[in-house]
Amino acid sequence: MSELTQQTPEGGTPIAGENPVYLKDPVLDATVRMVVELAAQVWIERERRITLESLLEAQGTLSRAAIESFKPDAAQAAALKRERARFIEDVFKELRRIPPTA
Amino acid sequence: MSAVPETLPALAERADAAYLDFVEGFREYILGKGADFEDRLNEALLAEQVRRGQPWGDVEQIREYVHSLPLGRLRDRLSRTQQEMKWFALRRSFEAQRAELLAELERYDTRGPGRLELDPNFVHPPYVNVHFHLQPGGYYKDALSGYLYHYGTKVFFRGDNDHDELHSKLVARVPAPADGRVERILDLACSIGQSSTAFRRRFPNADVTGIDYSAPMLRVAHRRAVMLGDEVTFAQRLIEKTGYAEGQFDITFAFIVFHELPLRIIHETVREAARVTRRGGIFAIYDFTGTRDKSPYQRYHRWFDARHNGEPYSQDFCDCDMNAILADHGFEVAAASVGQRSGGAGYMTHWFATRV
């Protein structure tokens, strides 16, 4: 255990471990976490879209049609793929926290 | 635009801010009337009490009943999840800019107004090695602990303390000593110094000192005070053994500190506060409401917070008699009224004590 994760409380209420299970089944715990995580990701996207649309509209620089017909070049496609991997990791990292035996 | 300088650390990406904005809103939803867990679970607890024909006994009995309810278990899952999400996002965002954030702290370390006094030989007592509120590394093990705490508490206070509004309000309520003399103020376990700067603003001619065991917290406290233009001394010292001379302070202050101390240290800290506060001086404490004033749900929440939110000492604090401890060490306590809120007593209460 690294120094950063070690704790040494002096008595009191025992602290729960790193990954407590609250529901009947650890899969349910992970499912709830993924749902909340998804909601966070949806909000991130919505906040960004509202920001972008407001800016683009204010500046008069882009039409909706341009967004619909956008085709990423190779570099843009690679960047999108990286973003997609981060998105999937954010939401589904919970799967790694389901213990193999419960 | 706010006239108050923005002292919150910048996040690496807009997406990080949006993520934390979500967590703040979600926290509000599950703690407040959105999901309405508190009132609904408290009503269930009160109804069960009637059904059983006797008041709830120890908290273990309450815990067993709450855990028998799907709503209770889901409430726990979501409470833990929002806290974990907050630290996950903050840690990733600050990690991405660690070098820049540390360089910024260094730039402020030696600037004024005010000063930073770190002790290179400081030894952390084992009892402080707790990850309070699940903060990764606790309050001192990561050089960025102060930044994590600052943004973490911004989310915790759900936007109501972005510019220290809460600290300012609570500091404003602290009574001055009867003789009106306020020359020196000590802020115990000041963390990032939000009460310290509020005191300096309330008493602009007083010397204000904030002490804490965490160097990363004190560095952020000093950076904030410099940015705000408030002259405060921040020193790395133990609150139970400050090293200051007897009777040196007119006001000694402790904001939500005592519930993070083992009972032994609670006694030692009150003894030390009695030593450094002058006769006629004030020792003002804000902290959690005691167990006897709590609703059944609030008693459950205390257990959960202690075990699942890194607050191991909080149950013992809520069970102890702070009035008696203060009296034992030479303080006279003005009767503290317990604020009311829906479902029971307010979560926080105060003790305004005079050194006799």
Side-chain angles (χ1 to χ4, degrees):
Chain A
M1 195 176 267
S2 79
E3 200 184 316
L4 194 72
T5 57
Q6 200 180 24
Q7 298 186 66
T8 56
E10 179 186 316
T13 307
I15 296 173
E18 289 275 313
N19 193 20
V21 172
Y22 296 98
L23 305 175
K24 290 266 186 226
D25 178 334
V27 175
L28 269 180
D29 279 79
T31 305
V32 170
R33 286 197 297 259
M34 288 188 283
V35 168
V36 179
E37 188 65 56
L38 266 172
Q41 300 297 332
V42 169
W43 172 247
I44 289 172
E45 294 310 319
R46 189 172 293 182
E47 193 271 352
R48 197 167 190 92
R49 184 170 54 73
I50 291 167
T51 304
L52 273 173
E53 286 176 1
S54 302
L55 288 172
L56 292 174
E57 190 177 21
Q59 294 172 2
T61 51
L62 200 56
S63 66
R64 281 181 188 279
I67 293 173
E68 295 297 333
S69 60
F70 172 70
K71 293 268 188 290
D73 62 24
Q76 288 166 331
L80 269 175
K81 210 167 179 179
R82 282 195 300 277
E83 279 300 309
R84 187 184 68 188
R86 176 170 158 164
F87 171 76
I88 292 171
E89 167 63 17
D90 273 7
V91 178
F92 295 102
K93 64 183 182 299
E94 307 304 332
L95 295 174
R96 283 196 299 274
R97 307 211 307 182
I98 301 170
T101 55
Chain B
M1 195 170 158
S2 169
V4 184
E6 187 52 77
T7 62
L8 269 178
L11 299 169
E13 293 180 24
R14 183 176 194 92
D16 298 337
Y19 187 104
L20 288 156
D21 179 50
F22 170 85
V23 174
E24 189 177 302
F26 186 65
R27 182 178 159 74
E28 171 73 34
Y29 189 83
I30 62 172
L31 292 181
K33 283 288 179 191
D36 203 19
F37 285 128
E38 175 164 359
D39 284 355
R40 290 192 295 150
L41 287 169
N42 199 49
E43 278 164 23
L45 280 159
L46 293 173
E48 179 65 10
Q49 184 175 275
V50 170
R51 196 186 67 77
R52 293 182 184 196
Q54 56 184 346
W56 289 103
D58 63 17
V59 75
E60 183 56 24
Q61 219 182 45
I62 297 178
R63 185 199 67 73
E64 263 180 36
Y65 179 68
V66 172
H67 285 188
S68 75
L69 307 172
L71 189 71
R73 297 196 298 272
L74 182 62
R75 172 259 176 221
D76 287 359
R77 174 70 271 162
L78 295 176
S79 299
R80 174 87 177 199
T81 293
Q82 58 86 25
Q83 193 74 304
E84 290 176 343
M85 287 172 76
K86 177 176 76 178
W87 296 124
F88 164 76
L90 279 173
R91 213 173 170 194
R92 178 167 70 181
S93 191
F94 290 155
E95 203 55 53
Q97 42 175 350
R98 176 173 287 273
E100 294 89 331
L101 288 169
L102 289 175
E104 167 146 330
L105 284 178
E106 255 175 52
R107 275 198 301 279
Y108 277 95
D109 280 351
T110 51
R111 281 176 62 179
R115 63 181 186 277
L116 178 66
E117 299 174 353
L118 299 183
D119 176 359
N121 301 314
F122 191 83
V123 177
H124 294 92
Y127 81 84
V128 306
N129 184 12
V130 171
H131 299 177
F132 294 105
H133 324 134
L134 311 187
Q135 180 171 329
Y139 287 161
Y140 69 94
K141 282 185 275 181
D142 187 326
L144 299 179
S145 294
Y147 281 133
L148 283 165
Y149 180 85
H150 192 182
Y151 216 110
T153 51
K154 175 238 183 311
V155 176
F156 173 81
F157 288 120
R158 294 174 259 167
D160 291 337
N161 198 40
D162 287 359
H163 295 102
D164 306 345
E165 294 90 338
L166 176 68
H167 289 80
S168 301
K169 187 173 81 179
L170 297 180
V171 162
R173 288 181 185 165
V174 172
D179 59 14
R181 180 159 63 87
V182 181
E183 293 169 0
R184 281 181 294 273
I185 298 166
L186 179 63
D187 184 7
L188 296 174
C190 65
S191 69
I192 57 165
Q194 288 160 296
S195 302
S196 315
T197 49
F199 267 113
R200 173 71 184 177
R201 286 171 178 222
R202 182 175 164 197
F203 300 103
N205 297 317
D207 286 334
V208 178
T209 302
I211 64 171
D212 204 284
Y213 61 75
S214 165
M217 291 273 203
L218 291 165
R219 294 180 81 192
V220 167
H222 178 66
R223 170 185 169 274
R224 290 184 75 257
V226 171
M227 291 173 95
L228 295 168
D230 294 326
E231 186 177 341
V232 175
T233 299
F234 290 105
Q236 190 176 22
R237 294 174 185 238
L238 288 172
I239 59 173
E240 66 271 32
K241 197 176 176 190
T242 65
Y244 293 119
E246 272 182 36
Q248 200 175 325
F249 296 99
D250 303 291
I251 295 176
T252 305
F253 185 70
F255 174 61
I256 49 175
V257 175
F258 278 97
H259 74 271
E260 292 183 357
L261 306 174
L263 265 179
R264 176 178 70 87
I265 305 297
I266 289 177
H267 284 271
E268 287 182 20
T269 302
V270 173
R271 184 185 305 127
E272 180 69 353
R275 193 183 67 77
V276 299
T277 307
R278 69 161 169 97
R279 292 190 190 279
I282 298 289
F283 182 26
I285 299 166
Y286 287 97
D287 220 304
F288 291 164
T289 299
T291 302
R292 67 179 170 195
D293 293 313
K294 286 187 194 298
S295 68
Y297 175 86
Q298 289 175 338
R299 289 180 63 196
Y300 174 73
H301 176 75
R302 177 54 30 231
W303 173 87
F304 177 84
D305 206 36
R307 179 159 170 75
H308 292 274
N309 193 35
E311 293 278 26
Y313 310 128
S314 62
Q315 183 70 62
D316 288 346
F317 168 75
C318 289
D319 290 344
C320 85
D321 186 345
M322 253 330 247
N323 282 336
I325 294 172
L326 287 162
D328 284 350
H329 292 288
F331 286 107
E332 196 173 84
V333 189
S337 62
V338 177
Q340 296 297 310
R341 62 199 294 281
S342 121
Y347 275 95
M348 206 156 62
T349 189
H350 66 261
W351 291 262
F352 294 153
T354 303
R355 178 75 173 98
V356 290

